Amino acid sequence: MGTKQYKSTLTYELGELLKASDRSVKLKKGTYLFQEGQPAKEMYILLSGKIQISKMNAERKELNLRLCQYNDIVGELTLFTVDPRYLFNAKVIESGEAAAINIENLEKVLFNNSKLAYEFIRWMNDHFRKTTTKFRDLVLNGKKGALYSTLIRLCNSYGIVKETGILIDVYLTNQELANYCGTARESVSRMLGELRDEGIISIERKRVIVHSIQHLKTEIDCENCPIEFCNIE
């Protein structure tokens, strides 16, 4: 029986944060919850659907950073800043709903609830560590390393263990994979083809099965970071 290898969850913190929510937002596939540079007035908790967090570089090339789903927090980096603006794009890739929390109200809640503030700071610290390791992989390991580390992170976040390997139970196009790797779609397609020819991966119903995750780890000198940090969420 397959099991998900990793899923981030919040319990007490989410309950307290949801109490501060004053409205819900319907999410329509293909639209943006917010875009980088826009004034930030709210933070969101995803109740259903999926949101892709990305950043544009100076050449207007998109780099995907996170794939958010149920119970994930979005737009949190705008807290306690002057003239807050969203730092990333939040594109809806699967329709759903989000709870919206006014940032000023949330800051007051955190000031008045020390336990929640402590847990929220811990969560933010983990989030920064995950982001740092992703940029490390992109900068230090080149195109191949970026793809291999992305596949490892997808296995940790959405992997279902099968007899033949780990099924990544989320559909991503080669272009979307390329955006996570910060490289061209053609390069990703070529590298996936090479991995398939070597028997390291296979494609089943438009989903990737990784037959040897150890091969991917060995190729990039994986440091075996805790799964809590080595994921795509």
Side-chain angles (χ1 to χ4, degrees):
M1 180 175 64
T3 56
K4 287 289 177 66
Q5 301 232 36
Y6 170 79
K7 178 69 186 85
S8 63
T9 57
L10 298 171
T11 52
Y12 163 81
E13 302 96 309
L14 269 179
E16 292 299 303
L17 290 174
L18 284 171
K19 289 178 184 177
S21 172
D22 55 6
R23 72 186 186 99
S24 63
V25 180
K26 296 294 183 182
L27 307 173
K28 183 180 179 181
K29 182 178 178 179
T31 63
Y32 285 89
L33 180 59
F34 55 79
Q35 292 181 275
E36 58 181 294
Q38 289 181 341
K41 297 181 179 180
E42 295 176 315
M43 187 189 80
Y44 304 90
I45 298 175
L46 196 55
L47 304 177
S48 60
K50 287 185 174 68
I51 287 181
Q52 192 166 266
I53 304 299
S54 65
K55 180 77 174 177
M56 290 288 186
N57 65 16
E59 290 75 35
R60 304 301 295 170
K61 183 177 179 58
E62 188 174 29
L63 174 63
N64 292 344
L65 298 172
R66 296 171 59 199
L67 182 60
C68 303
Q69 56 180 352
Y70 175 66
N71 273 0
D72 282 337
I73 297 173
V74 183
E76 71 285 350
L77 298 180
T78 57
L79 289 172
F80 302 108
T81 59
V82 177
D83 186 26
R85 294 180 180 273
Y86 293 115
L87 302 178
F88 304 110
N89 300 305
K91 186 176 181 179
V92 180
I93 61 173
E94 180 182 297
S95 297
E97 185 177 6
I101 305 171
N102 180 274
I103 288 176
E104 291 184 0
N105 293 341
L106 176 57
E107 290 174 352
K108 293 176 183 177
V109 170
L110 292 174
F111 272 123
N112 294 322
N113 188 328
S114 59
K115 181 180 179 181
L116 176 61
Y118 172 74
E119 295 298 336
F120 194 80
I121 290 171
R122 282 205 337 175
W123 179 84
M124 287 286 289
N125 182 61
D126 288 348
H127 177 69
F128 285 134
R129 289 184 66 180
K130 287 190 287 187
T131 302
T132 299
T133 60
K134 289 174 186 176
F135 280 117
R136 176 201 64 195
D137 291 342
L138 291 174
V139 172
L140 297 182
N141 295 317
K143 294 178 181 179
K144 185 171 78 170
L147 174 62
Y148 288 13
S149 65
T150 297
L151 291 174
I152 293 169
R153 292 174 188 279
L154 286 168
C155 284
N156 290 338
S157 294
Y158 297 101
I160 297 178
V161 178
K162 301 283 190 179
E163 291 184 2
T164 58
I166 301 174
L167 169 67
I168 299 176
D169 192 26
V170 62
Y171 173 64
L172 294 172
T173 66
N174 285 2
Q175 182 60 63
E176 289 169 330
L177 271 177
N179 289 347
Y180 277 109
C181 301
T183 189
R185 177 184 58 81
E186 293 78 9
S187 296
V188 166
S189 298
R190 175 180 51 78
M191 290 186 288
L192 288 175
E194 292 172 353
L195 288 173
R196 187 165 47 190
D197 292 342
E198 295 170 8
I200 306 302
I201 69 168
S202 60
I203 310 294
E204 182 180 290
R205 297 180 181 178
K206 297 184 178 182
R207 284 168 170 76
V208 176
I209 299 177
V210 177
H211 301 297
S212 177
I213 193 170
Q214 187 56 48
H215 173 86
L216 302 179
K217 291 182 176 182
T218 300
E219 287 292 305
I220 63 171
D221 294 323
C222 178
E223 298 176 358
N224 290 310
C225 299
I227 290 178
E228 288 80 4
F229 303 130
C230 184
N231 61 77
I232 211 73
E233 300 174 344

